[in-house]
Amino acid sequence: MSNIIQVKNLQMVYHDGEVPTHVLRGITFDIERGEFVSIMGPSGSGKSTLLHVLGFLEEHTKGEYLFDGKSFAEHSKDEIAHVRNKKMGFIFQTFNLLPRTTVLENVKLPLLYSGIKEELWDEKAKNALEAVGLSHRLEHEPSQLSGGERQRVAIARALVNEPNIIFADEPTGNLDSKSGGQVMDIIKNLHKKGHTIILITHETYTAEYADRIIRLRDGKIESDEKVLKNHTNEKFVK
């Protein structure tokens, strides 16, 4: 199985005036195509910054990042936008839905820049909503949905372009335990269908849906371990 992500000595430094803040301090790891990886760490560990770099939302300071075999530095601005739109899907803790726009229209948003013919947009958006069990909510607005339903709309939006990889940034952070479990079950099923998943979380229970957990502390990798499941489906980290 080939690597979809290769990170070598990745560093991120922010400058506030003359004072540098080192957020990522020489991180190295690979992620195989089709893997489900959780990235954990306390507040300030660098996990959200790392997701932004992996998702082409920020450019790193030093080191090398290869996505699908091609270095970030080799991409033009147009190519970066194309990769983000076509090959990556994003799920955020705050849902990021347009409030006065229907569920169907929210899910169709990524298709605006996809190059897919407009007559196919409705069908693709409806298929994505069906995959998360929301076919009956097409004409509702986000304010008419529960938190769990809003997050499922956000997942459908992430799916609509059939991306290679899905980045989920604390997707259960604003949900109760029942809704959070439903959202994680959907994400787990996406993995079973072949999607590469990178999950950012501070919750151990949520992280253990993955097959591998990378723990960060102070901008460095503290551990990188497989999650093993025994015959009773209990999870433990090796």
Side-chain angles (χ1 to χ4, degrees):
M1 191 180 292
S2 61
N3 292 322
I4 190 168
I5 280 176
Q6 295 170 277
V7 171
K8 300 175 183 178
N9 193 32
L10 195 75
Q11 300 176 50
M12 175 64 86
V13 182
Y14 295 111
H15 292 273
D16 183 8
E18 296 182 359
V19 181
T21 301
H22 296 264
V23 181
L24 300 176
R25 300 169 178 265
I27 289 176
T28 298
F29 63 87
D30 296 336
I31 293 177
E32 291 184 350
R33 201 175 306 277
E35 258 197 294
F36 185 170
V37 179
S38 290
I39 298 174
M40 289 190 72
S43 179
S45 62
K47 59 186 186 297
S48 290
T49 298
L50 178 58
L51 180 139
H52 288 169
V53 171
L54 299 181
F56 280 19
L57 300 170
E58 287 190 76
E59 184 174 359
H60 56 283
T61 308
K62 292 182 180 179
E64 189 173 20
Y65 171 33
L66 280 73
F67 178 81
D68 221 2
K70 186 174 180 179
S71 170
F72 179 92
E74 296 179 285
H75 290 80
S76 67
K77 288 184 178 180
D78 287 344
E79 287 171 336
I80 287 171
H82 175 78
V83 169
R84 254 196 330 251
N85 184 259
K86 290 291 292 180
K87 297 186 177 183
M88 299 176 175
F90 296 90
I91 307 166
F92 297 102
Q93 178 179 352
T94 52
F95 317 136
N96 291 353
L97 303 177
L98 298 181
R100 295 183 178 85
T101 305
T102 66
V103 163
L104 184 64
E105 293 300 318
N106 265 287
V107 174
K108 285 162 60 176
L109 283 173
L111 298 171
L112 290 171
Y113 309 102
S114 66
I116 295 170
K117 293 180 180 179
E118 189 171 354
E119 56 263 33
L120 300 176
W121 291 1
D122 275 5
E123 179 184 357
K124 289 185 70 66
K126 287 176 181 177
N127 287 342
L129 284 162
E130 184 177 356
V132 299
L134 285 180
S135 296
H136 60 300
R137 297 291 202 191
L138 301 183
E139 299 305 321
H140 287 69
E141 294 183 358
S143 61
Q144 298 172 298
L145 306 179
S146 69
E149 287 174 327
R150 288 180 216 173
Q151 191 59 291
R152 284 152 63 190
V153 174
I155 293 172
R157 183 183 57 195
L159 286 176
V160 73
N161 270 336
E162 301 177 28
N164 301 100
I165 189 167
I166 295 172
F167 295 100
D169 190 1
E170 300 279 7
T172 63
N174 285 333
L175 305 178
D176 59 47
S177 58
K178 181 181 178 181
S179 297
Q182 291 171 341
V183 164
M184 288 309 304
D185 285 341
I186 291 171
I187 291 173
K188 185 67 176 177
N189 284 332
L190 294 176
H191 171 242
K192 289 178 179 177
K193 293 178 181 178
H195 289 281
T196 305
I197 310 287
I198 297 182
L199 170 70
I200 301 293
T201 183
H202 65 277
E203 300 170 332
T204 299
Y205 176 77
T206 302
E208 288 177 350
Y209 274 82
D211 298 322
R212 175 182 166 199
I213 299 176
I214 297 173
R215 286 185 170 86
L216 300 184
R217 183 173 294 276
D218 299 328
K220 298 180 180 179
I221 293 179
E222 185 177 53
S223 64
D224 184 348
E225 301 169 314
K226 295 287 187 181
V227 178
L228 304 179
K229 281 86 171 178
N230 62 21
H231 67 280
T232 61
N233 206 35
E234 294 176 339
K235 292 165 280 194
F236 58 98
V237 177
K238 181 179 180 181

